[in-house]
Amino acid sequence: MDFSRRDTLGLALGAAALTVLPFRVNAAAEDRIAEFTGGAEMGEGGLTLTAPEIAENGNTVPIEVSAPGAAAIMVLAMGNPTPGVAQFNFGPLAAAQAASTRIRLAGTQDVVAIAKMADGSFVKASSTVKVTIGGCGG
Amino acid sequence: MKVRAMTAIAALLAAPLAAVAGPDSDELVVNGEINMVTQTEAPAHLDGALSELYSGWRFRSDETQALQMDDFDNPAMVFVDQAQEAWDTADGTEGKSCASCHGDAADSMAGVRAVYPKWNEAAGEVRTLEAQVNDCRENRMGAKAWKYDGGDMASMTALISVQSRGLPVNVAIDGPAQATWEMGKEIYYTRYGQLELSCANCHEDNYGNMIRADHLSQGHINGFPTYRLKNAKLNTSHARFKGCVRDTRAETFNPGSPEFVALELYVASRGNGLSVEGPSVRN
Amino acid sequence: MASGVKPRVKVPKSVAAGEAITIKTLISHAMESGQRKDKEGNVIPRSIINRFTCEFNGQSVIDITMEPAISTNPYFQFDATVPEAGEFVFTWYDDDGSVYNDNKSITIA
C-alpha cells in the first residue's frame, strides 16, 4: 500500500500501543548453532517447540520440546545476553524424546530448538515469545 | 487518511485492547482433588463495592494457572517441604520444635490459615500468622524471631496454609477485631504517594483492566504466601503491600507494622468466601 | 555448597512392566545467572546447576546440560520407560562442585 507521512505516523503510534519490550537478537547464537550441527543444513518438521505467545513474566517461561526419535534437542534464546538455554540428551530409557522446563527470557525474542535426529540429520523449530513489562515498577 | 491505513492502525490498536478482559472462566482443581472456589458472591460488608469475588488465579495466563494445579508443578511446594523439616527440628533454648507442642501440622493447623488474622485475647491485639509464629518461637521455644517477610517465615506460613487449602477464607471483622478492621478499611481507601493511588483505585475500580501488560486482579490475599514468577520465590502479603505502597511513590510501611496488620485483616475479609489457595503461583 | 538446596521429585509408586511414566523434578536453587550486579555495581558471579541426569538401574533416561537461562528452582518434566522394578537416581551438578541426589524406587504392578 502507499503510505503518506500521516499514515506512517499513525501506524507508528498504533505500534507503540503494544507494551512489549524491543525485539532482541544475539550474534553468538549463530555460532552455537554451527557448533551443534557442524554446519549441516537444518530441515523442518518432526520437532515441536511449545512456548507461550505472551510470557506473563520473562523470569519464568514454561516451554516444551518434543521430537520423536531424536538423540538430542538444543534450545537457544536468540535474544538473551548468552543464548544457551539447555541441551536435552535422551537415553535409552526415555519413553518419549520430549521434555518440559521453565526458562528466563530477557526480552521479546525468538526461542529456537534444534533436534539431532537418530540418522544424524538436523531439524529446527522456532517460536516468538513476547516478553512484557508489567504493573507498577515492572 | 486512506481507508487501508486506518484499518491497519485499527488492527494494531485492537490487538492489545483485545487482551483487556475480565477474569477468565477456568476452574481450579489442585492435584485432581482439591476443588477451589475462585468465584463467589461478595461478602455483605462490601456493600456492593464488588459485585462478585474472583481469585487472583482467574486473572493469570493459562501457563501460569497450570503451574498451580499440581503440587509437583507448583514451585512453592519445595519450600513447604523445607518448612516441614523446620517444623520437626528443635530450635532455641527450650529444645522444642513446632511438633513438640503442635504434633502433626496436618491435624493441628487444619483451618488455621482460613481464620487469620484474628484477635488474640491474651495479647489484646489482632495477630497475623507471622506474628503468632514469632510469638511461639520467642516465648515458647526460646528461639530467635524470624524476619517477618523472610524466606523461613514465608515457607512456614506456606506449610500452615496448605492445611487449609480449599477451605473458605473466614476472618472475623466484628467484636474485638472491629477497630483494627475499620483502620484497615480506611487505609485501603486512602490515596498514597506522588501517584495518589489507593488500593481501591486499581483493585476495586479497575480489576480486569491492564496496567501496562499486567492483568489487574481484585487484590485478594487468599493465595498468600504466593510464589511470584517475577522473583521466583515465596512472597508474604506484607511484602506485597510494602511493594504496592512503594510503587505509588510513597514512604511505605514495614512488614508487621500495625498499619499492615490492619490492612491484612481488611483485605483478607474482602476475600471471605474464596478458597484458601496458599501457596499459590502468581506473576 | 549452595545453601538451602532441596530436590523434590514425583515418580509413581508402581507401573506395569514396559510402560511409560511421567516424572516431574524440581530443585530449589537460585541459579545465579552471572548477569546481575550488586549494590556497588560489581557483577555477581554465575553460580548455577549446570547438569541434570536421570538414570534407572544404571541406564540413562535423560541427561540435560543446563545454562543460565534455566529459571531459578529448575524444573524438568519428562517420560521414562520402566522395564522392571528398580530405582531412579536423579543427580544435579552445581558449578561450585557440589552434587545433589535424590532416589525414588518403583515396583512393577
Side-chain angles (χ1 to χ4, degrees):
Chain A
M1 36 177 157
D2 286 330
F3 287 106
S4 72
R5 197 179 309 173
R6 207 178 280 180
D7 297 341
T8 315
L9 215 52
L11 276 172
L13 285 172
L18 290 168
T19 52
V20 296
L21 295 171
F23 203 89
R24 293 162 169 257
V25 183
N26 187 316
E30 300 299 328
D31 294 338
R32 291 293 304 265
I33 296 177
E35 203 186 314
F36 184 63
T37 62
E41 281 284 305
M42 293 179 289
E44 274 184 15
L47 166 61
T48 314
L49 165 62
T50 310
E53 209 188 303
I54 305 179
E56 183 131 54
N57 193 293
N59 200 28
T60 312
V61 183
I63 64 162
E64 187 185 333
V65 290
S66 174
I73 304 177
M74 178 175 76
V75 179
L76 298 174
M78 305 300 275
N80 271 1
T82 55
V85 178
Q87 184 170 317
F88 300 92
N89 303 297
F90 300 104
L93 287 185
Q97 286 70 42
S100 302
T101 185
R102 298 159 191 168
I103 69 175
R104 296 172 179 149
L105 296 177
T108 297
Q109 61 186 283
D110 284 339
V111 176
V112 166
I114 303 171
K116 178 177 182 179
M117 306 309 286
D119 63 2
S121 65
F122 294 91
V123 286
K124 174 181 167 183
S126 171
S127 188
T128 308
V129 180
K130 293 194 185 78
V131 177
T132 56
I133 309 178
C136 316
Chain B
M1 270 198 213
K2 291 183 189 156
V3 173
R4 266 200 213 144
M6 279 183 73
T7 321
I9 298 165
L12 275 171
L13 283 171
L17 279 175
V20 177
D24 62 26
S25 51
D26 297 327
E27 281 180 12
L28 175 57
V29 182
V30 176
N31 297 333
E33 45 181 34
I34 311 176
N35 285 295
M36 296 290 192
V37 172
T38 60
Q39 178 178 349
T40 189
E41 65 175 70
H45 71 80
L46 277 180
D47 227 357
L50 292 174
S51 52
E52 195 140 17
L53 295 188
Y54 296 100
S55 163
W57 184 81
R58 296 280 289 268
F59 294 86
R60 305 274 63 84
S61 74
D62 289 342
E63 295 83 20
T64 306
Q65 289 179 324
L67 294 183
Q68 199 183 322
M69 294 174 71
D70 179 296
D71 280 351
F72 283 88
D73 284 322
N74 188 337
M77 296 308 287
V78 71
F79 301 103
V80 170
D81 284 351
Q82 288 184 329
Q84 182 62 63
E85 277 179 19
W87 178 274
D88 293 325
T89 307
D91 194 6
T93 58
E94 306 304 302
K96 287 187 188 163
S97 66
C98 312
S100 306
C101 293
H102 292 292
D104 190 356
D107 297 325
S108 57
M109 295 293 120
V112 169
R113 166 85 266 175
V115 298
Y116 264 80
K118 77 174 193 181
W119 180 261
N120 183 307
E121 192 58 48
E125 62 178 12
V126 167
R127 279 272 173 86
T128 62
L129 213 46
E130 289 85 344
Q132 197 56 48
V133 168
N134 272 342
D135 179 36
C136 274
R137 284 184 62 78
E138 286 184 302
N139 300 323
R140 266 155 276 225
M141 291 165 66
K144 253 179 65 177
W146 277 334
K147 183 160 178 284
Y148 201 95
D149 58 349
D152 286 326
M153 183 63 84
S155 301
M156 184 55 71
T157 56
L159 171 65
I160 296 172
S161 289
V162 164
Q163 318 311 331
S164 291
R165 275 200 303 189
L167 296 176
V169 174
N170 186 21
V171 299
I173 66 173
D174 54 5
Q178 187 171 353
T180 309
W181 183 82
E182 300 280 1
M183 175 176 161
K185 181 173 177 179
E186 192 178 321
I187 294 173
Y188 192 86
Y189 287 98
T190 303
R191 290 176 182 267
Y192 288 97
Q194 286 186 328
L195 297 182
E196 293 189 17
L197 288 173
S198 70
C199 313
N201 290 144
C202 287
H203 293 295
E204 186 173 292
D205 303 334
N206 281 294
Y207 71 87
N209 289 336
M210 305 300 282
I211 183 162
R212 288 202 277 183
D214 249 351
H215 198 188
L216 275 176
S217 72
Q218 290 182 336
H220 295 300
I221 54 176
N222 61 312
F224 275 77
T226 185
Y227 186 90
R228 290 194 68 185
L229 302 183
K230 172 177 157 155
N231 57 17
K233 65 175 191 172
L234 276 175
N235 292 257
T236 63
S237 57
H238 289 209
R240 184 70 268 238
F241 293 158
K242 177 177 170 183
C244 273
V245 176
R246 178 206 61 211
D247 290 342
T248 68
R249 301 192 196 150
E251 277 282 358
T252 187
F253 301 102
N254 286 321
S257 61
E259 290 86 356
F260 279 171
V261 172
L263 184 60
E264 186 186 336
L265 173 59
Y266 179 70
V267 175
S269 79
R270 285 177 73 93
N272 273 350
L274 291 173
S275 294
V276 171
E277 286 178 35
S280 61
V281 180
R282 303 282 188 262
N283 66 324
Chain C
M1 166 105 159
S3 67
V5 180
K6 189 172 171 63
R8 182 173 159 85
V9 176
K10 179 182 195 179
V11 170
K13 294 248 169 20
S14 75
V15 68
E19 286 294 298
I21 59 165
T22 299
I23 295 177
K24 299 184 182 187
T25 73
L26 187 129
I27 188 164
S28 61
H29 192 283
M31 296 291 283
E32 191 61 64
S33 65
Q35 297 293 328
R36 297 199 309 159
K37 296 201 167 106
D38 62 21
K39 291 198 175 82
E40 282 82 50
N42 307 311
V43 170
I44 303 171
R46 164 188 150 150
S47 185
I48 66 168
I49 292 179
N50 57 50
R51 185 175 170 215
F52 167 77
T53 63
C54 170
E55 292 191 346
F56 183 74
N57 289 351
Q59 282 198 291
S60 168
V61 177
I62 199 167
D63 185 334
I64 307 177
T65 312
M66 297 160 61
E67 302 197 52
I70 298 288
S71 295
T72 301
N73 305 327
Y75 169 88
F76 294 114
Q77 178 184 317
F78 50 92
D79 290 349
T81 314
V82 185
E84 67 219 357
E87 201 179 41
F88 282 98
V89 176
F90 306 94
T91 314
W92 293 261
Y93 299 86
D94 198 318
D95 273 351
D96 69 7
S98 311
V99 179
Y100 315 105
N101 280 317
D102 200 4
N103 311 330
K104 290 280 183 238
S105 301
I106 191 167
T107 57
I108 296 297

